[in-house]
Each structure stands twice: as C-alpha cells, then as structure tokens.
Amino acid sequence: MMRFIKYIPLLVSLVQAKHVVQDWDITYVTTNRGLNQPPRRGVGVNNKLPIPVVRAELGDTLILNVRNSLDVPTSVHAHGILQHGTNYYDGVPMVNGCGIAPGSNFTYEIPLQQSGTYWLHGHAAEQNFDGLQTPLIITDPNDPYPVDEEYLFAVDD
C-alpha cells in the first residue's frame, strides 16, 4: 500500500494533463524586415509571420499537426525539449527521421516534461532564418516562484 501512495502525485498530474493542439500550415509569406529593405519571401505558419507563441503547462502533450505547403521539405525542432523515448519527434531531417515532404502532413506528439521557455523552429535548410520560429513557453502551475509580470523578447538579425 505504501508503494502505491508515492505514485498518487504522478497519477493526479496525468489526470490534469491536457493535449495542446496546434494546427500549422507551413507556407511562404511576404515579409518586410524594415530598414528600407524590399519585401522578400519568408516562411510562416497559417499565412502569418511572426508565428504566434505556443503556450502549455508542465505535463501537457503538445500535438503539432503540420501541413507542408512549401515546395521543399520541412521539419520542426523543439529546441531544448528532452525527447525521452520520442527522439523520432526531434525534427532533425536525415538524422532521426525524414523531413516532411511538400504537400504532406506530419503530427508531432511531444510530452512536455520540463518547464521554461524554449524555441520551436524549422530545422530544414534556412527556414528558421526565414521566419519558421516561435517561442514555446511551458509553465509549471506549481512553480514556487510566481512572477508578477512576464516579458518576452525575440531578437533576430
């Protein structure tokens, strides 16, 4: 009986966990980075650039339904996220899987086992530099150090 009791917090966290579903259609978009530069082709999600921030809680599962509407392969890498038993979702083409072919779909199901601010980004060619990047913020509802304000800065050159 005592061995079972120590697993109660884990069972409670699993019951409270949810699926955070994101539907991404990776597309070309026209972007202008300012500084008197002409508009150019970038890579966005759902015809948007910048890509909206992805937020979840510790213990959730991120389900990222990806449609590749580009004319080249793509992939998504969850930078800094530990892939214990799910390295096939790591998103590094030709290392632990193939890229997502043009016109194809792929679903990532990533258990979020750590809290903090991370980075979802393209891992094929230079797509992350062309805009395929966004923060992934995983909060811990039991964080012993709550904050009053949160500021997120994304710097790119």
Side-chain angles (χ1 to χ4, degrees):
M1 182 67 171
M2 290 303 282
R3 288 196 309 206
F4 174 73
I5 291 175
K6 71 180 181 179
Y7 292 107
I8 290 177
L10 174 63
L11 293 173
V12 169
S13 69
L14 291 175
V15 169
Q16 294 173 344
K18 63 183 181 297
H19 287 174
V20 176
V21 180
Q22 297 278 310
D23 294 317
W24 280 18
D25 183 9
I26 298 178
T27 59
Y28 291 114
V29 295
T30 301
T31 181
N32 184 334
R33 297 198 176 209
L35 301 174
N36 298 321
Q37 296 179 4
R40 68 180 197 85
R41 185 170 81 169
V43 178
V45 169
N46 302 331
N47 292 312
K48 293 181 184 170
L49 188 66
I51 301 167
V53 175
V54 176
R55 295 180 181 269
E57 288 189 353
L58 182 65
D60 290 349
T61 299
L62 174 61
I63 299 177
L64 190 59
N65 299 311
V66 176
R67 167 90 181 147
N68 181 6
S69 292
L70 305 176
D71 57 9
V72 295
T74 191
S75 69
V76 177
H77 173 69
H79 196 92
I81 297 297
L82 301 175
Q83 297 286 353
H84 294 298
T86 56
N87 65 333
Y88 41 87
Y89 291 136
D90 196 37
V92 182
M94 307 319 293
V95 173
N96 52 9
C98 297
I100 305 167
S104 296
N105 301 316
F106 185 79
T107 298
Y108 296 88
E109 292 187 31
I110 304 170
L112 303 176
Q113 303 167 350
Q114 65 210 75
S115 61
T117 301
Y118 302 94
W119 184 35
L120 291 172
H121 65 92
H123 219 287
E126 291 82 33
Q127 294 170 5
N128 60 325
F129 301 113
D130 289 336
L132 185 53
Q133 55 179 293
T134 191
L136 167 60
I137 300 174
I138 306 166
T139 57
D140 182 349
N142 299 314
D143 188 345
Y145 306 104
V147 296
D148 294 329
E149 295 283 334
E150 179 181 288
Y151 299 94
L152 178 65
F153 296 93
V155 180
D156 194 4
D157 62 351

